[in-house]
Every structure is written in structure tokens, then in C-alpha cells.
């Protein structure tokens, strides 16, 4: 039988060991606490510097503040919005004791994607580059522009000036002087461009829908012979209609486009845009315009890029034709004859026929002086037409020599 254990002795030793362990842990903790207290630096006490002495009566340096306002269309409703923006910024700057008004720049009826056409914006940027502006107030990022690349580029230009020019976007409560806003401004600029694209697509969809229904009201501002009355109806301007009839009759009688343009210029009749000199392209456009026979062809052109708003000849999407849309100036039969004649003369020019010259041309021969024997050619003739005339002259000279 194994020996008996001394329970009292064992428990006493166990108690002693536990007590020693507690003492050791306490000592270690005290040592670490002491080390921590000795090594942890004291927290510094914040001391504010004394403000500089203020001279009694000294003027506070004001910021030279400008503002920029813009609306994208020239409609009457937008005109009120533009004037409201200008008045708001004028009052806001004048009523702020920290600001000194430079100018409220603006563009009325100009898209935010067309930087080159925004004269007010360009004037503001030039003033900033000359160091005349400290801060620019804008209603929102979309008023500053609708092209994200232009927005960020112009903001970077203003920021790198010395001193930098701050832009305040009031609608978004953002200042470009705070670099923490850069990412948000970039995102909002991209959103502004996306909104412009979506708006453009929505407008085009609405226009095409009205075209398909025959209810789209196109502009006749530069369509010679027509105008719209107060109700939006197309009416014939009888005075201008006489010019249109003269152009069509002259062309069918054999006159060239250049001759018609020259005669109208000589008679001092203004073009549809009010110019005194008529161009060949203007005459050709009038001769080929289907509106003069009372027909309308919608969607002859299309906008290729919403950012540039450049119109190109439509060769991709559907067009809609409406006959008897309005009162004609030229009878349909006469208009069709002109179209056929345009094609004939076009083909003749391609083949080198020079039909315009063959029907009516003069090349007078100089009879005296140093240039005796030379012929005078019309400066309005094309290269092909001049070559045709020279061939005729050469053949005449050959006949004279043979005779």
C-alpha cells in the first residue's frame, strides 16, 4: 500500500506557490507601468499666437469677385432665368463686405458644350489670366460648362495662377481652393456632360417624332420668300417671292448660276441673310430647295456630335416628306424642270461640255496695245470652262491661218 500524502504540507506549498505567482505578476505590472510612465512623452499644451495689432481705421483687403451666368437657349423663359442669375450675383457680391464686384460675365443662348462660342466665358478667363479676379461665383457646375474636359482644364488653369483663382459652385457648396473637392468636382463634371448628352438625345427624339407626324415647325428665317406670322403659320412674302421667280425663270432661260448671282448683286438686292453680294451657293440652294413648290423634306441634315452641334448631310437615318405643306411660290412642273436642268448641267460639267459657256459666253479680243491679239476670259468660269474656251479660240486661230 502506497504511503500516505501529507495533505497539509502539500496545500501549504500550493498556497505558497500561488502567493509567489501573484507577487511576481504584480511586480512585473508595476515595472511595465513605471517604464510606460517614464517613456510616454507628455502631451503638449496648445498655445495660440497673439493676433497682430489692428490699426484703427485700416481697410479690410477685399476679394475681387466675378460671377458667371449662362443659359443654353435664347427663348423668352430662359431670358428670365439669365437675368435672374445676373441680378442675384450682382446683389450677392455688392452685399458682401468681403467682396469687390469686378463684373458678372455671361453667355445667353449658348450651349455649355461649345467653349469657342462662349464669348462671356472667354472674356472672364482672360480677365483672370491678367490677374484681375480673385474668386468666381457660379450657380452650378453645369452652368460653368457641359464638357467635362473643358471644365477640368479651365479649373486647372485658374488654380495654377499666382495667386490662384477660386471658383465657388454655390449649388454644390464646393470651392476649388479645397483640394479635397477635386474628386467630387470631377464626378459632377462628368455627370453634367452626361446630362447634356441625354438632353440632346431627348430633344432629337422629340424633333424626329414631330417630323414623322408632320407637325415639326422648321425655321424659315433665311428661306427667301417665306416668313411665319404671329400664329406660326408660313406665309408668302410677295416682294421676296418675285426674287425667287426671277432666279428660276433666269435659270430656265439659260443663264448660269454665276450670271444670276452677278445680276442680283449688280441690282443691289440683298441676300436672304442681308448681304449685298450673292454667291453661287446661295443661288444653287434656292434652285434646289423643295420648299418653293410647297413640299417639305424633314431631316435633310443631322447633328453628328452633341458636343460640337455640327450639322452634316443626312445619309444614315430616315427622312419624311410632306407634300402641299404650304403655299408654293414656284409651280411643281417648273420646279421639276429646274431640277432636271441642274442635273443636265452637272453632267455636262463632269464631261467637260461647258453648257453654260456654250449657251452664252463672250471672250472679247484685244485689238490694240501691248496685249493685242489676247482674249479676255471671265473670272467666274471654272477651270474646265476656261479650257473649253481656249480650245475654241485655238480652233478659230487655226481656221484663220488656213484661210
Amino acid at each position: 500500500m502506497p504511503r500516505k500524502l501529507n495533505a497539509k504540507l502539500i496545500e501549504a506549498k500550493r498556497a505558497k506557490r500561488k502567493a509567489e505567482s501573484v507577487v511576481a505578476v504584480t511586480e512585473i505590472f508595476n515595472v511595465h507601468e513605471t517604464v510606460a510612465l517614464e517613456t510616454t512623452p507628455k502631451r503638449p499644451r496648445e498655445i495660440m499666437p497673439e493676433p497682430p495689432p489692428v490699426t484703427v481705421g485700416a481697410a479690410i483687403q477685399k476679394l475681387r469677385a466675378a460671377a458667371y451666368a449662362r443659359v443654353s437657349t435664347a427663348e423668352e423663359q430662359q431670358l428670365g432665368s439669365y437675368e435672374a442669375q445676373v441680378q442675384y450675383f450682382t446683389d450677392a457680391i455688392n452685399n458682401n463686405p468681403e467682396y469687390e464686384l469686378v463684373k458678372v460675365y455671361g453667355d445667353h443662348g449658348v450651349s455649355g458644350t461649345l467653349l469657342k462660342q462662349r464669348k462671356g466665358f472667354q472674356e472672364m478667363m482672360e480677365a483672370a489670366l491678367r490677374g484681375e479676379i480673385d474668386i468666381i461665383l457660379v450657380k452650378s457646375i453645369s452652368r460653368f460648362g457641359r464638357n467635362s474636359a473643358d471644365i477640368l482644364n479651365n479649373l486647372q488653369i485658374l488654380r495654377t495662377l499666382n495667386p490662384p483663382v477660386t471658383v465657388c459652385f454655390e449649388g454644390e457648396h464646393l470651392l476649388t481652393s479645397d483640394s479635397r473637392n477635386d474628386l467630387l468636382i470631377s464626378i459632377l463634371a462628368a455627370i453634367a456632360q452626361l446630362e447634356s448628352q441625354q438632353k440632346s438625345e431627348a430633344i432629337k427624339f422629340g424633333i424626329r417624332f414631330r417630323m414623322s407626324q408632320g407637325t415639326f415647325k422648321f425655321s424659315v428665317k433665311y428661306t427667301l420668300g417665306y416668313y411665319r406670322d404671329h400664329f406660326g403659320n408660313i406665309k408668302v412674302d410677295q416682294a421676296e417671292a418675285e426674287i425667287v421667280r426671277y432666279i428660276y425663270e433666269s435659270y430656265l432661260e439659260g443663264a448660269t448660276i454665276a450670271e444670276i448671282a452677278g445680276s442680283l448683286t449688280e441690282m443691289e438686292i440683298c441676300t436672304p441673310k442681308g448681304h449685298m453680294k450673292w454667291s453661287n451657293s446661295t443661288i444653287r440652294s434656292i434652285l434646289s430647295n423643295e420648299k418653293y413648290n410647297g413640299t417639305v423634306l424633314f431631316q435633310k441634315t443631322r447633328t453628328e456630335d452633341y458636343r460640337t452641334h455640327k450639322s452634316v448631310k443626312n445619309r444614315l437615318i430616315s427622312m419624311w416628306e410632306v407634300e402641299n405643306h404650304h403655299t408654293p411660290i414656284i409651280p411643281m412642273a417648273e420646279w421639276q424642270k429646274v431640277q432636271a436642268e441642274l442635273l443636265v448641267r452637272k453632267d455636262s460639267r463632269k464631261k467637260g461640255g461647258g453648257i453654260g459657256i456654250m449657251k452664252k459666253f463672250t471672250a472679247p479680243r484685244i485689238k490694240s496695245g501691248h496685249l493685242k491679239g489676247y482674249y479676255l476670259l471671265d473670272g467666274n468660269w471654272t477651270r474646265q470652262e476656261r479650257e473649253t474656251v481656249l480650245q475654241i479660240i485655238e480652233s478659230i486661230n487655226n481656221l484663220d491661218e488656213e484661210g
Side-chain angles (χ1 to χ4, degrees):
M1 186 176 180
R3 63 182 179 88
K4 292 183 178 180
L5 297 177
N6 189 340
K8 291 183 179 180
L9 181 60
I10 292 174
E11 291 300 327
K13 290 181 178 180
R14 292 177 68 183
K16 182 180 179 182
R17 183 189 58 78
K18 290 181 179 181
E20 290 175 352
S21 298
V22 171
V23 172
V25 171
T26 303
E27 290 178 353
I28 293 172
F29 176 78
N30 291 335
V31 170
H32 279 286
E33 184 178 12
T34 303
V35 172
L37 290 174
E38 291 177 353
T39 57
T40 302
K42 293 183 179 180
R43 188 172 183 177
R45 180 167 56 92
E46 184 177 4
I47 300 175
M48 295 298 295
E50 294 183 3
V54 179
T55 305
V56 178
I60 301 175
Q61 184 69 30
K62 292 186 175 183
L63 293 175
R64 296 166 298 175
Y68 178 70
R70 182 185 65 81
V71 291
S72 57
T73 63
E75 296 178 359
E76 187 174 351
Q77 300 92 328
Q78 291 284 294
L79 177 61
S81 174
Y82 176 78
E83 293 175 345
Q85 289 183 53
V86 173
Q87 188 61 47
Y88 167 77
F89 284 122
T90 302
D91 295 340
I93 295 175
N94 287 331
N95 294 332
N96 192 326
E98 298 180 357
Y99 289 161
E100 178 184 352
L101 177 62
V102 176
K103 184 179 179 180
V104 178
Y105 300 90
D107 290 300
H108 179 221
V110 182
S111 171
T113 60
L114 300 174
L115 183 59
K116 292 182 179 180
Q117 296 184 15
R118 296 164 63 190
K119 304 302 181 183
F121 186 88
Q122 294 178 12
E123 182 185 356
M124 179 184 69
M125 291 296 294
E126 290 171 359
L129 292 172
R130 292 193 300 267
E132 300 174 2
I133 300 174
D134 296 317
I135 187 170
I136 298 173
L137 308 182
V138 189
K139 181 181 177 182
S140 64
I141 291 179
S142 62
R143 297 303 91 198
F144 194 77
R146 287 283 190 181
N147 186 312
S148 59
D150 289 339
I151 293 173
L152 299 178
N153 181 56
N154 286 308
L155 291 179
Q156 182 63 22
I157 291 173
L158 295 172
R159 180 178 295 172
T160 55
L161 295 177
N162 186 20
V165 177
T166 299
V167 179
C168 174
F169 298 112
E170 292 201 344
E172 294 84 1
H173 303 288
L174 294 174
L175 289 172
T176 57
S177 56
D178 189 346
S179 60
R180 294 174 297 180
N181 295 330
D182 290 353
L183 177 59
L184 183 56
I185 290 174
S186 300
I187 295 173
L188 293 175
I191 292 174
Q193 178 174 323
L194 181 61
E195 288 176 348
S196 178
Q197 182 179 3
Q198 292 175 338
K199 183 179 179 181
S200 175
E201 294 297 330
I203 291 174
K204 286 194 291 186
F205 177 82
I207 291 174
R208 283 183 58 79
F209 176 77
R210 293 196 297 275
M211 286 179 175
S212 66
Q213 301 299 308
T215 58
F216 176 70
K217 288 189 176 182
F218 54 90
S219 174
V220 293
K221 183 178 181 180
Y222 298 122
T223 304
L224 190 70
Y226 288 112
Y227 70 97
R228 287 190 181 272
D229 61 15
H230 297 296
F231 300 100
N233 300 318
I234 298 178
K235 299 293 183 180
V236 176
D237 185 324
Q238 294 300 335
E240 292 186 349
E242 286 300 315
I243 304 173
V244 176
R245 295 188 185 101
Y246 170 83
I247 293 172
Y248 274 75
E249 291 170 2
S250 299
Y251 192 73
L252 288 177
E253 289 175 0
T256 65
I257 289 177
E259 288 172 343
I260 297 172
S263 63
L264 290 173
T265 301
E266 187 177 350
M267 288 186 284
E268 297 184 349
I269 294 176
C270 292
T271 69
K273 292 186 177 181
H275 302 151
M276 295 304 299
K277 185 176 181 179
W278 287 74
S279 65
N280 292 357
S281 60
T282 301
I283 301 298
R284 187 176 291 106
S285 174
I286 292 173
L287 289 172
S288 60
N289 195 336
E290 79 287 342
K291 293 183 180 68
Y292 291 113
N293 67 45
T295 303
V296 174
L297 182 61
F298 291 122
Q299 199 70 75
K300 290 190 290 186
T301 61
R302 64 183 183 86
T303 302
E304 196 170 31
D305 190 339
Y306 75 96
R307 290 169 295 186
T308 61
H309 299 270
K310 182 180 179 180
S311 294
V312 296
K313 191 172 182 178
N314 178 24
R315 300 183 185 276
L316 297 176
I317 55 180
S318 302
M319 295 183 283
W320 292 275
E321 185 180 65
V322 182
E323 297 179 349
N324 301 318
H325 181 272
H326 52 272
T327 304
I329 294 177
I330 304 299
M332 177 62 77
E334 184 178 342
W335 186 85
Q336 290 175 343
K337 287 181 181 179
V338 169
Q339 306 316 302
E341 183 68 14
L342 284 169
L343 289 175
V344 170
R345 298 193 192 186
K346 182 179 180 180
D347 292 339
S348 299
R349 285 197 302 271
K350 288 182 178 179
K351 296 176 182 178
I355 189 169
I357 296 177
M358 300 304 294
K359 282 192 173 184
K360 185 177 181 181
F361 86 92
T362 56
R365 188 174 185 177
I366 301 175
K367 297 181 179 180
S368 62
H370 295 290
L371 299 178
K372 182 180 179 180
Y374 285 87
Y375 289 87
L376 297 177
L377 303 184
D378 193 333
N380 291 323
W381 291 341
T382 64
R383 179 180 178 182
Q384 184 64 46
E385 290 170 341
R386 289 196 299 271
E387 291 177 354
T388 302
V389 172
L390 291 174
Q391 290 174 3
I392 296 173
I393 293 173
E394 185 178 357
S395 62
I396 293 173
N397 291 336
N398 292 335
L399 290 174
D400 291 341
E401 291 176 359
E402 292 175 0

